[in-house]
Amino acid sequence: MQKYIIERDIPKVGTFEREQLRDASKASNAVLAELGPEIQWVESFVTDDKTFCVYLAKDEAIIQRHAKMSGFPATKITQVKRLFDPTTAHASA
């Protein structure tokens, strides 16, 4: 599976209460269960008017299906090509 970042435009999502986020999580999880093991939600980051969600998925099409079925927009889907972090500076060639 590939890793993807999904940008979702959701006005005022940063003001959502814990219960609203819990309900959104439940709705997403229900669709994920229906779609099966070819897609997995890893985590999401909430800003004022967007979420940035990290998913593992077989392809972009299944992410689009999830967005359509769940009602959560997939404004932009970007496949992650590589990862690096501060420890990369110490890695040998």
Side-chain angles (χ1 to χ4, degrees), residues 5-38:
I5 306 296
I6 298 92
E7 182 177 330
R8 303 181 192 279
D9 290 332
I10 304 172
K12 300 185 180 185
V13 69
T15 65
F16 284 15
E17 298 293 330
R18 185 169 183 81
E19 183 176 311
Q20 290 171 287
L21 294 174
R22 186 186 68 226
D23 291 346
S25 179
K26 286 180 181 181
S28 180
N29 286 339
V31 174
L32 290 169
E34 189 174 335
L35 291 174
E38 296 176 332

Side-chain angles (χ1 to χ4, degrees), residues 15-74:
T15 65
F16 284 15
E17 298 293 330
R18 185 169 183 81
E19 183 176 311
Q20 290 171 287
L21 294 174
R22 186 186 68 226
D23 291 346
S25 179
K26 286 180 181 181
S28 180
N29 286 339
V31 174
L32 290 169
E34 189 174 335
L35 291 174
E38 296 176 332
I39 183 169
Q40 177 185 347
W41 176 25
V42 177
E43 62 187 341
S44 293
F45 302 91
V46 178
T47 66
D48 288 337
D49 294 309
K50 294 179 185 268
T51 63
F52 295 88
C53 305
V54 180
Y55 275 70
L56 299 176
K58 72 171 187 162
D59 57 29
E60 188 174 320
I62 198 164
I63 294 170
Q64 291 287 3
R65 284 183 57 209
H66 175 270
K68 184 176 180 181
M69 292 170 67
S70 67
F72 300 121

